[in-house]
Amino acid sequence: MLHEARLLDDLVAYSRVGTRGAALQTIDCGAVVQRALANLKQSIDETSAVVIQERLPSLWADPTQMGQLFEHLIAIAIKYRGDAPPLIQIAAVRQGQEWVVCFRDNGIGFDPKLAERIFIVFQRLHDKDEYPGTGLRLAICKKIVERHGGRIWVESELGNGSTFYFTLPFNESASMTRVASTTAS
């Protein structure tokens, strides 16, 4: 019954990305990561996960959907961990007119030939008894990134972790807000 409830919740979340998104506004990605970490505190504590967050930009985005995106990517890194405690590094770099945000982990990784498949609804690389879930989290991530005008991809190697990347357009006013708030502190 729990699996069916989770599946229904994830299907609703997936369907609402394009239809019920909030208006875009300037958001501080660093604050979004902190909220995601607070929501995942129990999993982080249970696995002794370490999250290293570099300075992240302010972006023009839907704050709720960015929260979902960041939380899903962190939760996936925790779920697909190896024997060592999860180590997750989050960074961003501006490249031309877009930001490239990177989530790198030390987890189990997967065969790089399967990289495109993992973003398709209900596609799973592992048996659901071994790693329970609905197969929707990465499809939701992809839909969120695409709603914001970006793209998402992953690089991985079996046994050597994964690095998820996504892009979002650079927005001058969001960037200026970050500069102003950084100078004021």
Side-chain angles (χ1 to χ4, degrees), residues 28-40 51 53 70 74:
D28 175 355
C29 286
V32 172
V33 168
Q34 292 308 307
R35 282 191 298 277
L37 294 176
N39 291 343
L40 294 167
V51 179
Q53 169 191 335
F70 281 52
I74 295 167

Side-chain angles (χ1 to χ4, degrees), residues 150-181:
R151 63 192 190 288
I152 187 168
W153 69 98
V154 62
E155 294 174 359
S156 188
E157 185 179 329
L158 194 56
N160 287 320
S162 300
T163 304
F164 286 88
Y165 299 91
F166 65 88
T167 64
L168 292 176
F170 173 76
N171 180 286
E172 189 69 38
S173 62
S175 177
M176 293 310 293
T177 301
R178 177 65 181 205
V179 170
S181 67

